[in-house]
Amino acid sequence: MAPRRGWFFGGRGIATPYLERLCGDGVVALSMDYPLAPEARHPEPLHVLADGVAGVLEAAGLAGVPVVLAGDSAGAGLAVALARLTGEEQYAAAVGVRPPLPREQIAGVLLCCGVFSPRGTQQADRWSAEILASSAWALSGERKWQLSAFAEHLDAVRGTASPLPPTLLVSASGDPLHANQSVPFAAALTRLGSPVEMWVSDDPGAGHEFQFDLPTAAAVDALERVRGFLRQL
């Protein structure tokens, strides 16, 4: 799981308590950092994550072991990009990043409160849209970032060309990115024939990244759905 907020702040420690609960179910979890904007520019974060996943699997002798790619917020979009690298040769060539593992090794994809189309974030509330526009400018290095390779490469809503492995999207109706990110991405995966489910909390207190707010009721419910998803893979 790569928990970074808007590509420019946050770190892997955010997800630690959450992953510890999953590890109690026998899951081996790896939380990875990636370089942040504005020091890093696209596609450096994706390079780092791909190299990190490939390096860990090789060093631990885990070739062929089923892997679930997971991410939260901006990290969810990067997790989708990693999955796309394994199934879309043209996409991997365009981004210039080697697939970190074979597609058949990916058992599932777990995405929480994700950013799946940078351009689509501008349909969110003004506060969220302005913050994400600033970080998109920083990561792309271009003021007109909507026209950049960054915006094109990380637009999984319009760009995903082949079905993903079984996918669970966790979201909340109160998340300002729900309607313009999770909903259209789930629809895009459905059109591709991907096995996809979207679990949505309608709890009025659940907002962006609510799943980390344990032990609130919404977060507990989401965690149980995540556990069920992992068990069925």
Side-chain angles (χ1 to χ4, degrees):
M1 181 170 287
R4 290 302 181 104
R5 302 174 179 182
W7 308 289
F8 72 100
F9 76 102
R12 61 185 179 182
I14 296 171
T16 298
Y18 189 86
L19 295 179
E20 286 176 343
R21 294 188 177 228
L22 294 180
C23 290
D25 296 338
V27 173
V28 176
L30 170 68
S31 183
M32 300 181 65
D33 278 332
Y34 58 83
L36 300 175
E39 290 78 14
R41 297 284 172 82
H42 173 77
E44 185 181 350
L46 192 52
H47 272 286
V48 169
L49 289 174
D51 289 346
V53 169
V56 167
L57 293 177
E58 180 180 3
L62 296 176
V65 173
V67 170
V68 175
L69 294 177
D72 162 72
S73 194
L78 290 171
V80 173
L82 290 176
R84 290 182 63 195
L85 290 174
T86 68
E88 301 177 30
E89 292 184 3
Q90 289 184 336
Y91 178 67
V95 180
V97 180
R98 295 180 60 185
L101 72 172
R103 168 60 70 93
E104 58 268 20
Q105 192 174 353
I106 304 176
V109 183
L110 170 60
L111 307 167
C112 299
C113 298
V115 178
F116 306 113
S117 171
R119 285 176 287 224
T121 62
Q122 299 310 285
Q123 300 169 17
D125 64 88
R126 181 177 178 181
W127 184 82
S128 299
E130 287 181 352
I131 288 180
L132 288 164
S134 295
S135 59
W137 180 359
L139 188 59
S140 68
E142 300 180 34
R143 183 171 185 176
K144 296 183 178 180
W145 60 268
Q146 296 92 336
L147 305 177
S148 68
F150 153 78
E152 184 70 22
H153 292 162
L154 293 188
D155 190 344
V157 174
R158 294 196 299 178
T160 304
S162 64
L164 294 185
T167 300
L168 173 65
L169 284 80
V170 173
S171 189
S173 57
D175 182 350
L177 299 182
H178 172 69
N180 58 78
Q181 297 293 312
S182 294
V183 170
F185 185 52
L189 290 181
T190 298
R191 288 193 295 270
L192 287 169
S194 296
V196 57
E197 176 189 351
M198 182 164 64
W199 187 94
V200 183
S201 174
D202 291 323
D203 189 310
H208 189 58
E209 298 183 304
F210 75 99
Q211 77 279 359
F212 290 146
D213 293 333
L214 294 165
T216 62
V220 170
D221 289 345
L223 180 61
E224 287 308 305
R225 182 63 199 95
V226 168
R227 283 172 163 159
F229 173 71
L230 295 176
R231 284 194 296 264
Q232 71 188 22
L233 295 177

